[in-house]
Structure formats: structure tokens, C-alpha cells
């Protein structure tokens, strides 16, 4: 029987690592019954979303998303294998950005089985990662603004933070038993990491040590949050260059210690996020209990090694200045 698995992210849950690894090993995966189509020069299947969302034109596929989906069905909807389609852009929310999954399913008609796989992480970590991704190309919004947006709308920058709403959207096209929600932290703790967890979910007999890894098995890794925030403040209105982030990161490690873990948010902002979303995540786990017994989003509670934003004092900014001065002096 031919099955199609649609991996919809979410963003910042090692999606690029999965896509890079599966694309690199597509031939080997196919030998073991797992088809990872190569649709463009990108390893992720982002072009399959373009007909519904406003993505950069560079992701567009000839004929559009729907034509590409029909071609996938034409080529792979018969036989005894699993087709794996992966793009975090499938999980976008907000007006005019949501994929019509009922329409997508019709374009993939012919497959015997459907499954949607979605990886979720605690909202404070998710929003922090979104901030870091935005900072690569833009001046990101202030952290308090992101917190307020997430709490009041269930979205941040067009991405779901209220995962029950994302689940509701999926149920418009898929039965509950066709949806699989995975906890990001549990996937990370898998013996093969997130890639190994995904192989296991797909019932592929391969293990990570049999694959050719890309970027050492970690693609699109995020920098430290508070140093990136500091660099973004310094470089506004331009995005922070890497050398500046290196300086603020070095200053952070000297100021707070090598083992310190930064949290983008203040302690009150963190408390606001957890007060809003911890009960919501519990409701989601309850909704999934009949289909995924034991599923829950691991709530990572910052311990004493975490540094909240209000701990950033004048002494840190002085260290940043010294690191910047040293960097500039070396270049002369």
C-alpha cells in the first residue's frame, strides 16, 4: 500500500536537519521503502505550499504547488512504499497563510494512507527560536511584543503558538488517527536524535549511523538568544552581522559563565507564557490521549543556570564594548 506522510514542522524543530539528511540519503532511503522526492534545488518541499502562502518566489515550482502534488501522486501513489513530504511552511497560520489541507489531500488522491506528523516544543522556546530566525535577516520585534502577540492571538509572526488551534485546522481534513504529534524534547533524546526519531516514526529500518550526515547532523542551528538580542539592539535598524553576534556571545560567556543558558524573556514574560500555554498544552494532550497515549509536550523549566533578560546589566554592555573594540583593533 502506498502511504504519504506530510511532515509539517513546526518551525525550529530540526526540520532543516531532517530535510537535508533525507535529501542526501534519498537513494538509500528508497531502497528501504521510503521515498523522499527531490522537487527543486531546496531539500525541503517548501514549493508545495506556495499556492496557499506568501513565500519567497525562489521556492515556487513550475506549474505551482497543486500541479506538483498531482505529479507526486501520479509517480508514487501506487506500489508498496511511504512517500515523505517535509516543509515547516505547511504549519503556518494566520489569515491568507494557512494551507487548505482538504484541497491538498484531494491533489494527493490515489494514496492509500495519509498521515500528518507535527513536532511541537514549549512555546517560550519556540518563540525564542522564531526571534533568532527573524534576527538573521531583519531587526526582530522586541521580545515583549512577541509575548503579547502570542498570548493575545495564539500566533507569533504568522506561526501557531496555541497548538490546539493548529490541531483544529488539521482536523478539517484529517481524521484524528491520521495525525501524529511528537514532542521535540523526546525526539532530541532519541538515540539517533531527531532524525532517528523520525526514521522510527516512519518505520524505516535504517539507523542514523547508516546515513551520510549533512553539516555534522545539525543544520540551521540557532545562536544564543540574549547575545543575539544584544547584537540586534546595537545594530538596529540593520540585522546584526555575525562578527557582532560573536562579540556579544563572547562577552556573555565571560560575564555569566560558559555553562550559562540564556532566555530571551524576562522572568515575568516567561511566567506569562507558561501561565497561558501550559494549561493549553495539557488540553491538547488530553485530546490526543485516545490516539497517542502518553503524548505530552515536555515543559522545560529553566533552572539556576538560565539567565533571564533582566539579569543583563551595565557590566555586560561594557564587556560587549570591549569585545567590539578588540575586534575592530584586530582588523586595522
Amino acid at each position: 500500500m502506498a502511504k504519504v506522510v506530510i511532515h509539517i514542522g513546526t518551525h525550529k524543530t530540526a526540520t532543516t536537519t531532517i530535510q537535508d539528511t533525507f535529501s542526501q540519503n534519498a537513494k538509500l532511503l528508497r531502497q528501504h521503502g521510503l521515498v523522499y522526492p527531490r522537487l527543486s534545488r531546496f531539500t525541503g518541499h517548501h514549493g508545495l505550499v506556495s499556492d496557499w502562502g506568501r513565500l519567497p518566489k525562489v521556492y515556487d515550482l513550475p506549474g505551482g504547488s497543486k500541479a506538483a502534488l498531482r505529479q507526486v501522486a501520479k509517480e508514487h501513489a501506487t506500489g508498496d512504499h511511504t512517500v515523505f513530504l517535509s516543509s515547516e511552511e505547511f504549519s503556518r497560520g494566520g489569515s491568507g497563510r494557512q494551507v487548505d489541507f482538504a484541497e491538498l489531500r484531494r491533489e494527493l488522491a490515489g494514496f492509500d494512507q495519509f498521515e500528518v506528523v507535527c513536532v511541537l516544543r514549549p512555546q517560550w522556546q519556540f518563540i525564542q527560536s522564531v526571534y533568532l530566525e527573524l534576527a538573521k535577516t531583519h531587526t526582530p520585534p522586541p521580545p515583549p511584543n512577541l509575548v503579547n502577540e502570542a498570548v493575545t492571538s495564539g500566533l507569533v509572526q504568522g506561526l501557531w503558538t496555541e497548538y490546539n488551534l493548529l490541531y483544529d485546522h488539521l482536523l478539517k481534513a484529517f481524521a484524528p488517527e491520521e495525525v501524529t504529534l511528537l514532542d521535540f524534547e523526546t525526539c532530541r533524546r532519541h538515540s539517533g536524535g531527531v532524525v532517528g526519531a523520525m526514521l522510527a516514526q516512519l518505520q524505516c529500518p535504517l539507523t542514523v549511523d547508516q546515513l551520510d550526515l549533512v553539516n555534522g547532523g545539525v543544520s540551521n542551528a540557532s545562536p544564543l538568544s540574549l547575545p543575539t538580542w544584544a547584537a540586534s539592539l546595537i545594530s538596529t535598524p540593520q540585522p546584526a552581522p555575525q562578527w557582532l553576534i560573536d562579540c556579544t556571545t563572547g562577552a556573555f560567556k565571560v560575564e555569566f559563565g560558559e555553562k550559562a543558558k540564556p532566555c530571551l524573556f524576562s522572568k515575568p514574560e516567561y511566567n506569562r507564557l507558561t501561565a497561558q500555554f501550559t494549561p493549553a498544552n495539557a488540553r491538547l494532550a488530553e485530546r490526543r490521549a485516545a490516539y497517542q497515549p502518553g503524548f505530552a509536550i515536555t515543559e522545560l523549566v529553566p533552572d539556576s543556570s538560565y539567565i533571564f533578560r533582566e539579569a543583563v546589566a551595565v557590566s555586560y554592555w561594557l564587556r560587549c564594548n570591549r569585545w567590539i573594540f578588540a575586534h575592530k583593533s584586530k582588523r586595522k
Side-chain angles (χ1 to χ4, degrees):
M1 297 177 68
K3 178 179 182 180
V4 60
V5 176
I6 305 166
H7 171 222
I8 68 170
T10 53
H11 291 73
K12 308 310 298 179
T13 55
T15 52
T16 304
T17 297
I18 292 169
Q19 292 155 9
D20 285 352
T21 304
F22 278 38
S23 179
Q24 179 72 13
N25 295 274
K27 183 177 180 180
L28 177 61
L29 292 170
R30 186 180 288 256
Q31 292 171 1
H32 290 81
L34 183 60
V35 177
Y36 190 77
R38 189 65 183 264
L39 304 180
S40 70
R41 63 185 179 89
F42 298 100
T43 60
H45 300 129
H46 312 310
L48 296 179
V49 184
S50 297
D51 284 7
W52 293 282
R54 298 184 297 274
L55 298 181
K57 290 291 185 183
V58 69
Y59 292 129
D60 287 355
L61 297 172
S65 302
K66 297 168 191 175
L69 288 164
R70 289 193 295 271
Q71 186 63 31
V72 168
K74 180 180 178 180
E75 294 180 5
H76 303 295
T78 58
D80 186 16
H81 52 244
T82 295
V83 175
F84 186 67
L85 303 176
S86 176
S87 174
E88 58 271 32
E89 303 301 337
F90 281 122
S91 65
R92 284 195 176 273
S95 178
R97 304 297 296 273
Q98 299 177 23
V99 172
D100 185 335
F101 283 108
E103 190 172 13
L104 177 144
R105 183 168 187 154
R106 288 193 295 271
E107 301 298 350
L108 289 172
F111 280 97
D112 300 299
Q113 296 178 325
F114 287 81
E115 182 181 7
V116 174
V117 175
C118 183
V119 184
L120 302 172
R121 65 191 306 184
Q123 283 82 351
W124 74 268
Q125 286 195 321
F126 176 66
I127 299 167
Q128 177 174 266
S129 292
V130 170
Y131 176 95
L132 295 173
E133 193 67 22
L134 292 171
K136 293 178 181 180
T137 55
H138 302 83
T139 298
N145 292 12
L146 294 177
V147 172
N148 189 62
E149 180 187 4
V151 169
T152 58
S153 70
L155 293 161
V156 62
Q157 301 295 294
L159 305 175
W160 298 112
T161 54
E162 170 45 283
Y163 299 143
N164 283 281
L165 297 179
L166 172 57
Y167 184 49
D168 289 341
H169 183 57
L170 294 175
L171 292 181
K172 295 176 183 178
F174 301 100
E177 57 270 23
E178 293 177 319
V179 176
T180 299
L181 303 182
L182 299 178
D183 172 50
F184 179 59
E185 189 63 24
T186 300
C187 291
R188 288 180 63 185
R189 293 174 183 173
H190 188 278
S191 59
V194 177
V195 172
M198 191 60 68
L199 289 172
Q201 176 61 34
L202 295 166
Q203 299 181 358
C204 179
L206 293 170
T207 58
V208 171
D209 58 5
Q210 295 174 284
L211 303 181
D212 181 14
L213 299 182
V214 180
N215 298 317
V218 180
S219 298
N220 197 27
S222 296
L224 296 181
S225 58
L226 284 178
T228 302
W229 165 75
S232 296
L233 287 180
I234 293 169
S235 66
T236 298
Q238 302 298 321
Q242 186 59 52
W243 70 262
L244 181 55
I245 295 175
D246 291 342
C247 287
T248 55
T249 299
F252 180 87
K253 291 181 178 180
V254 172
E255 179 79 4
F256 297 104
E258 288 284 341
K259 296 183 179 180
K261 301 173 185 177
C263 176
L264 178 66
F265 307 109
S266 67
K267 189 63 179 294
E269 290 165 357
Y270 165 81
N271 289 338
R272 187 183 180 197
L273 288 171
T274 55
Q276 176 77 16
F277 293 116
T278 298
N281 293 344
R283 288 196 299 273
L284 180 62
E286 184 178 356
R287 295 174 69 185
R288 291 297 302 164
Y291 310 98
Q292 290 183 259
F295 165 77
I297 297 173
T298 300
E299 297 291 342
L300 295 178
V301 180
D303 57 26
S304 59
S305 66
Y306 274 82
I307 307 298
F308 291 94
R309 203 175 69 250
E310 65 266 34
V312 175
V314 172
S315 58
Y316 172 67
W317 295 108
L318 287 174
R319 289 190 190 278
C320 289
N321 284 331
R322 295 187 185 114
W323 277 73
I324 292 169
F325 178 81
H327 172 81
K328 292 294 187 180
S329 297
K330 290 178 182 178
R331 292 175 60 89
K332 290 182 179 180

